[in-house]
Amino acid sequence: QCGLGRGERGWFAGVAVLGLSLSLSPRELPSPSLSPSLPLLLSLSLLQALRANQDLVPAGAWDCEKSLRKVLEEIPKGSFDRPQAAAQVVPSLEGQTLLNVNHLKCASDIDNLPLSPSPSTAPAGGMISVDYTVADRRHSIHDSVTVEISSGQVLFKVLEKARAMYPVRFRFEYAMTFWGESITGIRGIASNRTAHTYWQFLSGSQPIPRGVGSYIPSDGEHITANYTTW
């Protein structure tokens, strides 16, 4: 069984194989604000762990092909464009783990992965409109703005445009990580690891699947930066 989700105390990742389990408590995991692609990173790590122990996994308990199809669906979306992400996904596509990475011969591989075309949000060179909201119930903050960016630009550009329009209401701080830009504070309200608070980015009511430096919004999309707990 392979699980990844949010429990009552925060992020949880676990691998259970024939009664043996590996689990990480919320205090042992990095804050989502510092690891914007944490669910993706853990999913790939769990995939490698299951592959390394697949001879111990009961028949029917894990669908490897389904896991790989999900990974392949994410490739055209740019989920693994950054080197850190690519380093995690390549071994899984080879049917290996990071323990075997020095034996891989990628240059000799046949290009036979069934990739779908990259999605487009608007005609090349066109402009799109994105609604952006900053919400924090603790400090009674709820500000919205509509910005225009070029099609194909990442969410981080939306934040920059909003800040340029309203420097006080939409100011933000960020840190550069291996996975790209990570928002550490908005309007002077910083993420706090001790208090388990961070700025979560939502598309509609759903968390975005990638960080602000990788996620590409679509025309008319409503993005919310919500100050919450993990």
Side-chain angles (χ1 to χ4, degrees), residues 107-120:
S108 62
D109 280 355
I110 299 175
D111 188 6
N112 59 355
L113 293 176
L115 300 179
S116 57
S118 299
S120 58

Side-chain angles (χ1 to χ4, degrees), residues 62-180:
W62 172 51
D63 189 338
C64 178
E65 293 303 317
K66 183 177 180 180
S67 298
L68 287 178
R69 284 198 300 272
K70 178 59 179 176
V71 170
L72 293 176
E73 289 174 3
E74 291 296 322
I75 291 177
K77 300 176 184 178
S79 299
F80 310 110
D81 285 354
R82 296 184 180 273
Q84 181 80 352
Q88 292 289 332
V89 73
V90 168
S92 295
L93 295 178
E94 290 282 344
Q96 305 291 334
T97 72
L98 283 174
L99 297 175
N100 312 109
V101 71
N102 60 326
H103 301 301
L104 299 181
K105 299 184 183 299
C106 298
S108 62
D109 280 355
I110 299 175
D111 188 6
N112 59 355
L113 293 176
L115 300 179
S116 57
S118 299
S120 58
T121 55
M127 301 297 291
I128 64 171
S129 295
V130 179
D131 297 324
Y132 174 50
T133 297
V134 171
D136 176 10
R137 288 188 296 179
R138 299 185 181 194
H139 299 89
S140 300
I141 294 174
H142 193 280
D143 292 316
S144 297
V145 65
T146 298
V147 302
E148 286 193 344
I149 60 172
S150 298
S151 170
Q153 288 188 316
V154 296
L155 179 54
F156 189 75
K157 181 60 67 174
V158 172
L159 273 64
E160 289 184 320
K161 284 288 188 73
R163 181 178 60 185
M165 295 169 64
Y166 300 99
V168 176
R169 284 191 287 169
F170 294 101
R171 69 184 187 276
F172 66 91
E173 296 77 41
Y174 72 97
M176 182 59 70
T177 72
F178 283 119
W179 292 85

Side-chain angles (χ1 to χ4, degrees), residues 5-12 26 196 229-230:
R6 286 194 62 187
E8 294 180 354
R9 296 180 55 201
W11 289 99
F12 169 84
H196 288 185
T229 58
W230 58 279

Side-chain angles (χ1 to χ4, degrees), residues 179-190:
W179 292 85
E181 296 86 350
S182 175
I183 304 303
T184 58
I186 298 178
R187 286 187 60 162
I189 303 172

